[in-house]
Amino acid sequence: MALPSPSAAPVGGNPVARQLTPVTRFFTLLCGWWLLGYSLLVCADLVARRYFGVSLQGTDEIGGYTLAGLCAFGFAHTLLVRRHTRIDLFLQRLPAWPRAVAHVLAAIIIAAFAGFVASRGWAEVADSIDFMSVSTSPLQVPLWIPQGVWFAGLALFGLMATLLALHATTLLLRGRVREVNAWYGPPTVDEEIAAETGKAVLR
């Protein structure tokens, strides 16, 4: 299973994003292979039900765990390639400095939110470990296992959001407004085209 090259994503010349991209690429590929394996499991379950009258227990439960894990790890990659939804109806009409301040504030708020979510995720994992919680399905899965994967994705999201927010803040304090707007604003039309065609955009 292959994904587009990280250079094709709208990372631009952001040095922090370039350093972090291999990490998110690894987990994105890992999630892709897991999803492929789960799809084969679902197909096997459907065939078993249709032709043999038996059901593989727990495919729906595993699907829930899969969705949670993929979403958590997807947050980090989506943030890194600047694909989170941005409403920029008036943003592009602002002068360079106010626009840069808005981008930095957005990065800080995302980092704070990601840190909060990761902390609450760990609280769930800790509770499951303390109470030795298991799922109520026939699988009887110790809940700390899927929750641990979920928390790992949230922790990665929190770490990357924090690093990006620190970098954006540092650039703004140094007066490097152009870099802030280029690296932390919504992707431009040229970047969108480059991402779709697999060509890197040089800034």
Side-chain angles (χ1 to χ4, degrees), residues 11 27-28 33 46 58 84 91 126 132 148 150 160 169 172 183 185 191 193-194:
V11 172
F27 285 107
T28 301
W33 281 109
L46 292 175
H84 283 293
L91 189 61
M132 295 182 290
W150 172 64
M160 293 198 170
T169 303
L172 183 65
W183 296 341
E191 287 177 318
I193 294 174

Side-chain angles (χ1 to χ4, degrees), residues 1 30-46 49 56-68 70 139:
M1 179 180 296
L30 190 63
C31 289
W33 281 109
W34 175 267
L35 189 59
L36 178 60
Y38 175 68
S39 300
L40 295 176
L41 178 64
V42 172
C43 290
D45 189 24
L46 292 175
R49 290 184 185 184
L56 303 178
Q57 297 294 321
T59 53
D60 54 344
E61 180 181 357
I62 296 173
Y65 301 148
T66 298
L67 178 62
L70 263 59
L139 293 181

Side-chain angles (χ1 to χ4, degrees), residues 110-176:
I110 290 175
F113 173 75
F116 171 76
V117 170
S119 68
R120 297 311 308 159
W122 172 249
E124 289 296 323
V125 176
D127 285 345
S128 294
I129 294 174
D130 289 342
F131 294 105
M132 295 182 290
S133 303
V134 297
S135 64
T136 56
S137 70
L139 293 181
Q140 292 286 288
V141 176
L143 289 180
W144 69 267
I145 297 176
Q147 288 176 350
V149 174
W150 172 64
F151 166 71
L154 296 179
L156 181 66
F157 175 46
L159 175 62
M160 293 198 170
T162 300
L163 292 175
L164 291 172
L166 290 174
H167 183 233
T169 303
T170 301
L171 290 175
L172 183 65
L173 293 177
R174 291 178 178 177
R176 298 170 62 180

